[in-house]
Amino acid sequence: MRHLPGELQSRCGGRELDGEDMINLIIDGVQAKAEEGSTIFEVAKFYGIDIPALCYHEDLTPYGACRLCTVEVEEKGRKKMVASCLFPVKEGIRVRTHTTRIVNGRKMILEMLIARCPNSKTLQDMASRMGLEKVRFKIENEDCILCGLCVRMCKEQMRGGAIGFVGRGDIREVATPFHESSEICRNCGACMYICPAMELQCRGMKSSGGLCNSCLIITPQCLKKYDQVMCFMESCSACTEKK
C-alpha cells in the first residue's frame, strides 16, 4: 500500500515529510494532505472517512469494478464523478464523498448487485448500513458480482493465474481457460476466501424479497438538510430531525 499522509517517514529515501512534499486537497470540507501517488480512497481512509467498496483490497491492484467508491471531485471549477480507488490526488481539488447524488447512486448500484447475488451477507450488511429499503430489479440468484477480487488474488498473491474473466456484457464470467480443470490451480481456496458473494448466508430471518433489512440502521437525517453526511458514526442514531 502507498505511504499515507501523517507517516513519520517517506518511503522514498526515508526522508521526513514536510509541507513541500505533500499535496493539499479538501475532503468533505476538511483540509487534508497526501503524498503524491496516493488515491482519494486511501487518503479518505487514513482520515477516517468511510467510503464503501466491494472490489478494493489494500494488497491487490485497484480495479474500479464495483463503482461503489465513486466520489465527486471539483477541479478548476468543474465537477465530475470518479472512482476514488483509481483517481490520484491532485493539488487543490475538492472532494465530496457522501452527497445526495452519490449516496443515491451507490444505493442504485447496490440494488442491482443484490438482485444478482441476494444471498451474499456482505451485500446485505452493506445495504443495511446504507439504508437501502427495497430492490426493484428481478432476483437472479447468481453467485458472482464480477468484482475481480478472486482473479487478482489468484494472479498477484498466489502467483497462479488459474482463473480469469471470460466473455463480455451479460455473459461475462470468471472461469478457467476453456472451462476445463486447471493444472496450475493448487486448490488453495484463496479465491473463495476473498469473494464477497461466497460468504455464508446470514442466519437471521429471511424476507420474501431479495432484501433482508434485518440490520437496517436509521437513514442519516442530515442528508436531507445539508446535502452531505455530517458524521460517520457506525450507527446513525445520534442525530434527530427537528420538526
Side-chain angles (χ1 to χ4, degrees), residues 150-169:
C150 58
V151 176
R152 285 173 286 150
M153 171 64 82
C154 185
K155 180 180 180 180
E156 298 176 13
Q157 293 292 330
M158 307 314 297
R159 305 299 180 185
I163 55 178
F165 284 111
V166 178
R168 296 180 179 180

Side-chain angles (χ1 to χ4, degrees), residues 207-226:
S207 62
S208 56
L211 200 60
C212 174
N213 269 348
S214 295
C215 304
L216 183 64
I217 61 173
I218 299 173
T219 302
Q221 299 297 319
C222 51
L223 194 61
K224 301 177 183 178
K225 183 176 181 180
Y226 301 104

Side-chain angles (χ1 to χ4, degrees), residues 101-116:
R101 181 185 179 190
I102 293 170
V103 171
N104 289 339
R106 288 173 181 161
K107 286 183 178 180
M108 175 66 74
I109 293 172
L110 193 55
E111 235 184 293
M112 293 187 285
L113 292 176
I114 289 179
R116 183 180 176 92

Side-chain angles (χ1 to χ4, degrees), residues 1-2 4-5 25 27 34 37-60 62 64 66-71 73 82-89 93 95 97-98 106 126:
M1 186 175 179
R2 296 184 181 91
L4 294 174
L25 66 154
I27 303 181
S38 300
T39 64
I40 291 176
F41 187 92
E42 291 172 334
V43 177
K45 183 179 180 181
F46 179 85
Y47 278 96
I49 300 174
D50 181 39
I51 299 177
L54 284 169
C55 65
Y56 176 84
H57 193 282
E58 61 182 11
D59 294 321
L60 300 175
C66 71
R67 282 308 195 250
L68 284 171
C69 72
T70 296
V71 297
V73 173
V82 302
S84 63
C85 68
L86 296 175
F87 196 86
V89 294
I93 62 172
V95 181
T97 65
H98 289 74
R106 288 173 181 161
M126 187 174 286

